[in-house]
């Protein structure tokens, strides 16, 4: 029974561990935090959104980014200070503008496979995570935005996504709590929402029942790939209650699978590979619905406001998640008030909901320049990657976990 060490206990690592243990591998998951899903998988927008599969590699995105550089509350914010990693990533991002259509269609394909697989796992393993299968509604305020959306929709439909244009009247029939004026919308009935953290923790608990071992509070400092095994050296992370720097843990395995989120860039470098993941910060607020009026007026159907680049999810009866923005600012996890306030303002402008009780959060999306996840074997035969899912980690993870597990089983069968 080959032993696979998975680095990273976020949604990608936990899902990969599930698929590998089901195939009969011995699995150990390492994470620097003390619990699963404590970084990007903690409080994202909550959407399982094949409809959001459009890659960002377009001239229009670049032009908006330049225009918004001086606006602190802009949906897309680029810190212009020099960083070799950041500018190398941006240049590579530009080279993939030509691949916009092909990469969007490929993302749709993966998202549809993942959606089906995630629903299967959730039902089979009886995981409770505030799942709502009510679809996702894209909202457009102007004719210009709606016409652009039609071109995007043509590409998504070519990728076999079922998504339809709807009138403002139909939008309000789908989500009665909608207020404001809209030119039109697009509705994807097959998409869903839920709490990614609840799902990840629930799945991690199931994998433990099946035999997966978790080693929390450890930082990977070195990996040696030998002819017949892999030696992984760890030290206690800053969260570990015994952070003595001279105490090192050595874990021996047959294979290593990197699911390290934004840390995959450094891990790949350690392993002799180039995985050009860049951290793109996103923000969310979780509105606590504490009064009867807020519970009644918060939408149940997931929304995506195209002009504000904001998404929403209803998480059970008493929580409303609102997320958005993209910030190119390195490995900075600070929660900035000037980036949170536009999310609160958007809620106040669009719904009759109290924003007295709001929990802010920021997370770093592990994004590749071509916007596609890295699902491959490394230069070293015993090294594999399942990382770089960007803003679609939850949307794509159930598919990429199957793909990388199948590749591992072909290269290193039981």
């Amino acid at each position: 029974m080959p032993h696979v060490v998975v680095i990273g206990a976020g949604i990608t690592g936990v899902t990969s561990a599930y698929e590998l243990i089901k195939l009969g591998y011995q699995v150990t998951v390492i994470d620097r935090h003390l619990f699963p899903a404590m970084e990007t998988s903690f409080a994202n927008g909550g959407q399982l959104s094949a409809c959001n599969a459009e890659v960002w590699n377009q001239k229009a995105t670049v032009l908006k980014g330049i225009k918004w550089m001086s606006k602190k509350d802009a949906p897309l914010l680029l810190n212009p200070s020099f960083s070799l990693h950041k500018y190398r990533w941006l240049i590579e991002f530009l080279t993939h503008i030509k691949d916009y259509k092909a990469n969007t269609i490929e993302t749709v394909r993966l998202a549809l496979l993942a959606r089906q697989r995630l629903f299967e796992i959730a039902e089979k393993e009886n995981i409770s995570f505030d799942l709502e299968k009510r679809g996702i509604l894209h909202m457009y305020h102007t004719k210009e935005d709606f016409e652009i959306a039609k071109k995007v929709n043509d590409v998504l439909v070519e990728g076999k996504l079922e998504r339809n244009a709807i009138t403002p009247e139909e939008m309000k029939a789908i989500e009665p709590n909608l207020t404001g004026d809209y030119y039109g919308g697009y509705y994807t009935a097959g998409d869903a929402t839920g709490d990614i953290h609840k799902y990840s923790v629930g799945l991690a608990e199931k994998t433990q029942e099946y035999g997966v071992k978790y080693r929390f509070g450890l930082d990977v400092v070195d990996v040696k790939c030998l002819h017949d095994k892999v030696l992984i050296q760890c030290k206690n992370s800053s969260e570990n209650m015994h952070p003595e720097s001279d105490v090192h843990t050595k874990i021996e395995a047959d294979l290593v699978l990197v699911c390290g989120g934004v840390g995959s860039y450094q891990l790949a470098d350690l392993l002799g590979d180039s995985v050009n993941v860049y951290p793109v910060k996103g923000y969310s607020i979780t509105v606590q619905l504490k009064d009867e009026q807020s519970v009644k007026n918060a939408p149940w159907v997931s929304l995506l406001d195209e002009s504000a680049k904001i998404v929403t999810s209803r998480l059970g009866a008493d929580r409303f998640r609102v997320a958005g923005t993209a910030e190119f600012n390195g490995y900075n996890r600070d929660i900035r008030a000037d980036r949170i306030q536009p999310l609160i303002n958007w809620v106040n402008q669009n719904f009759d909901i109290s924003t007295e009780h709001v929990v802010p959060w920021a997370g770093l999306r592990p994004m590749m320049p071509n916007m596609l996840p890295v699902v491959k074997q490394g230069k070293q035969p015993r090294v594999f990657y399942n990382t770089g899912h960007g803003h679609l980690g939850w949307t794509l993870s159930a598919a990429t976990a199957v793909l990388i597990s199948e590749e591992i089983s072909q290269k290193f069968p039981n």
Side-chain angles (χ1 to χ4, degrees):
M1 187 189 293
H3 180 202
V4 183
V5 165
V6 178
I7 303 176
I11 183 64
T12 313
V14 169
T15 311
S16 298
Y18 176 81
E19 297 294 350
L20 286 165
I21 201 80
K22 286 293 186 182
L23 289 174
Y25 290 86
Q26 183 186 346
V27 183
T28 301
V29 181
I30 301 172
D31 198 280
R32 64 186 307 274
H33 297 291
L34 304 182
F35 311 96
M38 293 303 291
E39 285 203 15
T40 314
S41 302
F42 188 76
N44 75 353
Q47 291 186 330
L48 292 160
S49 52
C51 64
N52 204 15
E54 181 194 14
V55 299
W56 297 0
N57 307 78
Q58 286 201 86
K59 289 176 184 175
T61 308
V62 178
L63 294 173
K64 283 178 183 175
I66 294 168
K67 184 178 78 172
W68 286 336
M69 275 172 70
S70 60
K71 289 185 66 180
K72 286 186 176 180
D73 61 350
L76 175 63
L77 188 64
L78 171 66
N79 183 339
S81 63
F82 182 74
S83 150
L84 186 62
H85 182 194
K86 177 168 61 185
Y87 280 94
R88 183 165 73 90
W89 189 97
L90 289 169
I91 289 165
E92 197 176 331
F93 175 90
L94 295 174
T95 67
H96 287 289
I97 289 175
K98 68 182 186 305
D99 306 317
Y100 162 81
K101 183 177 178 181
N103 287 353
T104 296
I105 289 172
E106 172 61 10
T107 306
V108 174
R109 185 187 75 82
L110 285 173
L112 293 175
L113 289 171
R115 192 170 73 186
Q116 181 182 346
R117 180 62 179 151
L118 186 141
F119 290 162
E120 288 171 0
I121 293 171
E123 186 175 353
K124 181 182 178 184
E125 304 298 347
N126 195 27
I127 300 171
S128 175
F129 60 103
D130 298 320
L131 175 63
E132 293 294 337
K133 293 184 178 181
R134 299 181 191 235
I136 295 178
L137 175 60
H138 275 61
M139 311 184 301
Y140 303 91
H141 294 270
T142 66
K143 182 180 179 182
E144 181 186 8
D145 282 347
F146 191 75
E147 291 301 322
I148 293 169
K150 185 181 183 308
K151 293 175 184 175
V152 175
N153 192 65
D154 289 343
V155 178
L156 297 174
V157 169
E158 194 173 330
K160 303 292 188 267
L161 181 67
E162 293 182 19
R163 185 171 182 258
N164 305 304
I166 55 173
T167 65
E169 293 73 28
E170 289 171 321
M171 290 169 65
K172 290 182 180 180
I174 289 168
E175 179 45 73
N177 283 323
L178 268 188
T179 61
D181 297 319
Y182 304 96
Y183 182 84
Y186 276 92
Y187 181 57
T188 313
D191 278 345
T193 56
D195 186 324
I196 185 175
H197 184 253
K198 277 189 176 181
Y199 178 84
S200 301
V201 170
L203 187 59
E205 288 171 355
K206 287 294 179 183
T207 62
Q208 284 179 298
E209 290 175 18
Y210 292 129
V212 174
K213 292 182 172 62
Y214 283 83
R215 304 289 300 273
F216 291 113
L218 293 178
D219 273 321
V220 174
V221 293
D222 190 32
V223 182
K224 285 188 169 58
C225 298
L226 307 179
H227 171 68
D228 59 342
K229 61 186 173 183
V230 178
L231 296 175
I232 299 151
Q233 187 168 308
C234 306
K235 69 173 184 179
N236 291 347
S237 73
S238 59
E239 294 183 22
N240 197 302
M241 290 299 96
H242 306 282
E244 296 87 356
S245 58
D246 58 336
V247 176
H248 282 244
T249 301
K250 290 183 180 176
I251 300 172
E252 187 175 306
D254 297 291
L255 310 165
V256 63
L257 173 59
V258 176
C259 301
V262 294
S264 301
Y265 178 79
Q266 291 81 5
L267 288 165
D269 188 55
L270 193 68
L271 292 159
D273 292 308
S274 176
V275 176
N276 196 14
V277 165
Y278 188 81
V280 180
K281 192 196 285 188
Y283 292 84
S284 79
I285 57 172
T286 305
V287 183
Q288 309 292 323
L289 307 173
K290 289 181 175 284
D291 60 275
E292 191 177 327
Q293 183 170 296
S294 295
V295 169
K296 179 184 172 186
N297 292 335
W300 281 97
V301 173
S302 180
L303 308 173
L304 196 157
D305 186 331
E306 185 60 33
S307 59
K309 304 294 184 188
I310 282 175
V311 305
T312 76
S313 297
R314 183 70 178 265
L315 303 177
D318 58 358
R319 292 183 301 150
F320 181 49
R321 177 73 48 78
V322 179
T325 78
E327 186 177 306
F328 289 77
N329 198 17
Y331 293 86
N332 180 306
R333 292 178 172 83
D334 294 347
I335 300 174
R336 289 173 46 178
D338 59 350
R339 305 291 282 157
I340 290 294
Q341 193 59 47
L343 300 177
I344 297 171
N345 292 347
W346 184 88
V347 175
N348 288 328
Q349 287 160 6
N350 288 281
F351 300 99
D352 188 9
I353 299 171
S354 169
T355 52
E356 182 181 0
H357 304 282
V358 166
V359 181
W361 175 83
L364 303 179
R365 307 176 184 99
M367 203 160 274
M368 290 295 292
N370 65 351
M371 307 291 290
L372 292 176
V374 179
V375 187
K376 68 173 188 178
Q377 187 175 28
K379 288 178 185 174
Q380 303 276 358
R382 294 179 179 273
V383 175
F384 294 83
Y385 294 91
N386 181 19
T387 189
H389 295 64
H391 66 301
L392 295 173
W394 197 19
T395 297
L396 302 179
S397 59
T400 61
V402 170
L403 292 173
I404 199 64
S405 300
E406 287 176 348
E407 183 167 355
I408 287 170
S409 68
Q410 288 165 12
K411 303 281 178 62
F412 292 89
N414 278 330

